[in-house]
Amino acid sequence: MFDQFQRHDIETGEARIACFVGGDGPPLLLLHGYPQTHIAWHRIAPILAQNYTVVATDLRGYGESRGPQRGPSSDYSKRAMARDQVAVMDQLGFSRFGVIGHDRGARVGYRLVLDHPGRVNALVSLTVIPSSEVWSRVDKAFALGAYHWFLFAQPYDLPERLLSADPDHFLDVTLRKMAKDHDALSEAAVHAYRDAFRLPEVRHAMMQDYRAAATVDHDHDLADREAGRRLDCPVLVLWEEGRFEGKTTPLQIWRDWTERVEGHAIPGGHMQAEEQPAAVLEAVVPFLARHSRPPSA
């Protein structure tokens, strides 16, 4: 699905990141979520590549990227993952770029903006609010719906052992829960996710990612809020229609994190770029057109 993209395997000093580069124009970094790989972008990356140099990576430990296997969960903090992506873009020759992130990738994206000011022209966050905001809003519905947040954050190696019993079934249940219309997912994409999820080292990286989310990532967010740090680029946020009905919306939440934010709900489930690519592009393309190039010196 990325036949027109060139693969690069980039050593960052901490990890080896698989990335796929295609197109021409201002650089645009695409960061997938759990339990996906770069394949999550297969329906929109070729279209974006008509006007941008698209860089779609596998996050540290996910897909065909690899990270530390025996270290602390902080090795999979969003701060560490953001360093990977900055190293990738540096080695590709891009000092400033746009970012579209979904799920875990959106968390890496906003951490990249906070930790590396001046590097990102514009950030698109699909289905995500900052991690600290998630923890402060946990209720019964979230705990039952996003149970993996709590399961995966348990100490090593309880969740690893449990998932090893039948990884294919666990992944299938996960995808059916995330996608409002599972039939909208490409069979080839599901196979790619299944192949990756079958690998113990990939599942371990995912557990470390969620352990970090419950500890060091949360601490980093709180420290930024205490210090008054805000995102220094325009932000577009899209979320699932009906999910926040009667609650504070992601747009309202992100206003506490940046002065320039816009966004709205779109139909479909959690896997927006795969379920509703046209709706995502309809929002993202004009936003990037306004903000994809750095301001004039």
Side-chain angles (χ1 to χ4, degrees):
M1 289 180 280
F2 278 74
D3 288 346
Q4 302 304 311
F5 287 64
Q6 183 178 3
R7 175 169 176 166
H8 301 259
D9 290 285
I10 294 182
E11 298 287 345
T12 70
E14 302 178 54
R16 187 184 76 248
I17 304 299
C19 64
F20 300 78
V21 183
D24 186 41
L28 179 61
L29 176 63
L30 307 184
L31 303 174
H32 67 85
Y34 160 83
Q36 300 149 295
T37 70
H38 71 280
I39 294 295
W41 306 108
H42 71 97
R43 287 189 169 133
I44 71 171
I47 297 172
L48 292 169
Q50 295 172 14
N51 294 292
Y52 297 91
T53 300
V54 171
V55 181
T57 67
D58 287 344
L59 295 176
R60 174 184 293 207
Y62 284 73
E64 296 185 65
S65 294
R66 292 294 173 265
Q69 280 292 302
R70 290 184 168 83
S73 60
S74 58
D75 284 341
Y76 287 82
S77 70
K78 306 312 161 292
R79 175 161 288 167
M81 290 183 171
R83 286 197 301 267
D84 290 338
Q85 303 306 318
V86 169
V88 165
M89 298 305 275
D90 281 345
Q91 292 191 42
L92 293 175
F94 303 129
S95 61
R96 194 174 172 104
F97 45 89
V99 177
I100 304 178
H102 169 242
D103 190 83
R104 315 311 292 174
R107 302 186 187 287
V108 175
Y110 83 77
R111 176 49 52 195
L112 194 162
V113 177
L114 287 167
D115 286 359
H116 304 272
R119 297 300 302 265
V120 177
N121 296 321
L123 171 67
V124 178
S125 172
L126 304 183
T127 75
V128 158
I129 60 176
S131 297
S132 60
E133 303 281 2
V134 174
W135 290 118
S136 69
R137 289 169 168 77
V138 168
D139 57 13
K140 179 181 177 181
F142 179 81
L144 291 174
Y147 60 88
H148 64 286
W149 274 62
F150 308 93
L151 171 62
F152 291 1
Q154 297 305 307
Y156 176 81
D157 65 346
L158 175 62
E160 284 90 343
R161 284 178 179 266
L162 294 176
L163 266 65
S164 69
D166 194 345
D168 283 8
H169 179 69
F170 191 94
L171 179 69
D172 186 58
V173 169
T174 297
L175 295 177
R176 291 185 180 280
K177 194 173 188 66
M178 287 183 166
K180 187 172 184 179
D181 179 11
H182 184 270
D183 290 339
L185 304 183
S186 159
E187 184 177 343
V190 172
H191 280 305
Y193 304 152
R194 184 176 294 124
D195 287 345
F197 200 74
R198 285 172 174 168
L199 299 175
E201 61 268 31
V202 170
R203 297 196 302 272
H204 174 62
M206 293 172 173
M207 307 304 103
Q208 294 288 72
D209 175 2
Y210 279 87
R211 289 179 183 119
T215 54
V216 63
D217 290 343
H218 189 216
D219 293 343
H220 291 159
D221 277 8
L222 295 180
D224 283 333
R225 301 306 294 139
E226 180 68 22
R229 285 188 285 270
R230 293 163 69 85
L231 281 73
D232 67 348
C233 70
V235 176
L236 170 67
V237 55
L238 303 178
W239 64 93
E240 305 100 309
E241 196 171 70
R243 179 181 170 192
F244 291 88
E245 193 167 337
K247 299 180 179 180
T248 305
T249 69
L251 181 59
Q252 293 169 308
I253 293 167
W254 277 107
R255 284 175 178 151
D256 288 335
W257 291 75
T258 180
E259 295 179 2
R260 295 172 290 171
V261 61
E262 59 191 88
H264 56 269
I266 64 173
H270 181 69
M271 302 174 77
Q272 293 182 323
E274 297 183 79
E275 295 183 75
Q276 294 288 334
V280 171
L281 287 168
E282 184 179 8
V284 165
V285 167
F287 174 77
L288 291 177
R290 296 196 306 272
H291 302 296
S292 63
R293 297 185 184 278
S296 300

